[in-house]
């Protein structure tokens, strides 16, 4: 659902937030501000028109083959709801990337199947996946590790482990794929895992393996796709990149890279290119190579998923000064490689996917104390190994 674009009431806002229409509510509530996209300062009902609350579902993908290659659930403050049906059949179909559009009415999924579509895109509603869009004329060369619909809903991009390592298409929520964009003039330097659009859809970052720079950032327009490659970062360890994440909050943007070297994580301020990297956290990231990275929706925490115990690390974060104190580890840890991590848009939960049962773990979260108790596992567990996770 989406709030009305015309006459709007606080009852409409409550319903969009998944609450009773008569629940006590104010414009200064954290979730109301998150819905409006106004973290502080003056806020009015005008700011709440046409907004979609992206914390109603939790989606995972896995390489297990249908019916377990997706695990998509209803989500609320109480935790997991019912699991939705897998959108395809076939025991060999594995799930990889997952991305909703800006209003959670479209869901893009990466697979290893050319018949299902290496990027399979469906309409989405509270009933689950609906109509499947026609596949693009040119599919990605292999299964995409990451798929992302641009924040302005005008493009869809993927990263994968075969040349040209990234492919992208014009996108329309009404008509679907356009003709694939031309490949970038300068390709990434190896197999590509992570990919991230900047919040204003003017840049696209791709993380890759093999040789440096291991992260390649392109100027981006929905009209022509890949533009010029930005100059490489001055400080940038040569090491396999797994996750990349552009993040913008209150007018400031950063770009994070999770990596396999002992540094594990590097974050740069971003303006018209890479700034000087923030200092490493004073308490080193624990748990083997870093798989994925995400920021809290209000920019006050950063979380990193890892290949070995404790499988997840979290730090206080400042958009101006970088890493702060490391939060204590969760009381209940995963027991296997955690390939991805995601903050809830409500800023009250953190999810990781794992290679081992239960496949997905979700923790309560507060900025004051970090990880709280783990939510109960879903009644129907997702497939293994877990590849990607996303609240939407």
């Amino acid at each position: 659902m989406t709030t009305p674009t015309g006459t709007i009431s606080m009852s409409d806002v409550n319903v969009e937030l998944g609450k009773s229409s008569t629940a006590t509510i104010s414009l200064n509530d954290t979730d109301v501000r998150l819905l409006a996209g106004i973290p502080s300062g003056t806020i009015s009902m005008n700011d709440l028109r046409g907004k979609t609350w992206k914390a109603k579902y939790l989606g995972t993908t896995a390489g297990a083959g249908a019916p377990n290659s997706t695990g998509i659930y209803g989500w609320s403050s109480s935790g997991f709801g019912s699991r939705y049906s897998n959108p395809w059949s076939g025991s060999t179909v594995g799930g990889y990337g997952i991305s909703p559009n800006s209003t959670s009415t479209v869901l893009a999924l990466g697979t290893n199947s050319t018949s299902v579509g290496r990027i399979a895109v469906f309409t989405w509603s509270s009933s689950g996946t609906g109509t499947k869009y026609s596949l693009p004329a040119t599919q990605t060369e292999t299964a995409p590790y990451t798929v992302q619909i641009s924040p302005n809903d005008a493009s869809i991009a993927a990263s994968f482990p075969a040349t040209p390592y990234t492919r992208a298409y014009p996108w329309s929520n009404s008509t679907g794929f356009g003709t694939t964009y031309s490949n970038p003039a300068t390709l990434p330097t190896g197999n590509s895992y992570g990919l991230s659009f900047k919040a204003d859809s003017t840049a696209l970052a791709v993380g890759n393996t093999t040789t440096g720079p291991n992260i390649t950032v392109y100027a981006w327009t929905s009209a022509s796709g890949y533009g010029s490659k930005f100059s490489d970062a001055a400080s940038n360890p040569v090491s396999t990149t797994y996750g990349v994440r552009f993040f913008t909050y209150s007018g400031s943007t950063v770009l994070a890279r999770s990596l396999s070297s002992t540094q594990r994580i590097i974050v740069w301020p971003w303006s018209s290119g890479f700034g000087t990297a923030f200092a490493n956290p004073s308490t080193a990231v624990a748990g083997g190579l870093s798989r994925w990275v995400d920021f809290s929706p209000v920019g006050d925490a950063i979380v990193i998923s890892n290949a070995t115990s404790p499988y997840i690390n979290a730090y206080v974060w400042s958009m101006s000064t970088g890493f702060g104190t490391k939060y204590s580890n969760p009381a209940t840890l995963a027991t296997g490689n955690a390939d991805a991590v995601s903050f809830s848009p409500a800023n009250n939960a953190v999810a990781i996917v794992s290679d081992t049962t239960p496949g997905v773990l979700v923790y309560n979260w507060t900025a004051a104390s970090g990880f709280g108790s783990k939510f109960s596992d879903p009644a129907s567990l997702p497939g293994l190994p877990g590849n990607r996770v996303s609240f939407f």
Side-chain angles (χ1 to χ4, degrees), residues 193-214:
Y193 292 96
L195 173 147
S196 182
F197 278 103
K198 190 167 173 276
D200 61 3
S201 302
T202 62
L204 178 69
V206 182
N208 52 78
T209 63
T210 317
T211 59
N214 297 114

Side-chain angles (χ1 to χ4, degrees), residues 97-371:
I98 180 170
S99 174
N101 70 343
S102 65
T103 56
S104 297
T105 55
V106 172
L107 189 64
L109 296 160
T111 87
N112 61 356
S113 168
T114 54
S115 58
V116 170
R118 286 188 169 141
I119 305 176
V121 188
F122 302 84
T123 58
W124 178 267
S125 71
S126 58
S127 299
T129 50
T131 303
K132 181 181 174 184
Y133 290 87
S134 297
L135 299 178
T138 303
Q139 297 203 48
T140 61
E141 280 65 12
T142 188
Y145 286 123
T146 305
V147 172
Q148 188 177 359
I149 300 173
S150 63
N152 65 358
D153 288 348
S155 307
I156 185 167
S159 56
F160 45 90
T163 187
Y165 307 114
T166 178
R167 188 172 290 283
Y169 311 83
W171 175 259
S172 164
N173 290 333
S174 57
T175 60
F177 289 98
T179 302
T180 183
Y181 295 111
S182 297
N183 293 335
T186 303
L187 296 181
T189 56
N191 296 344
S192 295
Y193 292 96
L195 173 147
S196 182
F197 278 103
K198 190 167 173 276
D200 61 3
S201 302
T202 62
L204 178 69
V206 182
N208 52 78
T209 63
T210 317
T211 59
N214 297 114
I215 183 169
T216 309
V217 186
Y218 303 97
W220 186 267
T221 67
S222 58
S224 55
Y226 302 95
S228 299
K229 174 184 168 296
F230 285 92
S231 297
D232 297 332
S235 175
N236 190 20
V238 177
S239 175
T240 296
T241 299
Y242 290 97
V244 294
R245 178 76 160 92
F246 265 121
F247 176 71
T248 299
Y249 180 73
S250 196
S252 297
T253 298
V254 296
L255 176 57
R257 171 191 169 206
S258 58
L259 56 152
S260 61
S261 73
T262 54
Q263 185 171 338
R264 306 299 187 213
I265 187 75
I266 185 169
V267 186
W268 300 271
W270 182 273
S271 179
S272 55
F274 290 97
T276 302
F278 291 101
N280 297 335
S282 57
T283 302
V285 176
L289 59 88
S290 294
R291 290 293 194 182
W292 214 249
V293 57
D294 199 12
F295 292 88
S296 74
V298 294
D300 59 3
I302 181 173
V303 289
I304 303 143
S305 65
N306 299 89
T308 58
S309 186
Y311 303 105
I312 188 167
N313 290 260
Y315 297 85
V316 174
W317 178 260
S318 164
M319 294 296 285
S320 58
T321 59
F323 292 95
T325 304
K326 185 180 184 297
Y327 288 101
S328 297
N329 295 332
T332 303
L333 298 179
T335 58
N337 171 61
D339 228 27
V341 61
S342 179
F343 255 108
S344 163
N347 201 32
N348 59 7
V350 176
I352 59 171
V353 285
S354 172
D355 285 359
T356 57
T357 302
V360 59
L361 297 88
V362 187
Y363 304 97
N364 283 282
W365 176 267
T366 65
S369 54
F371 296 105

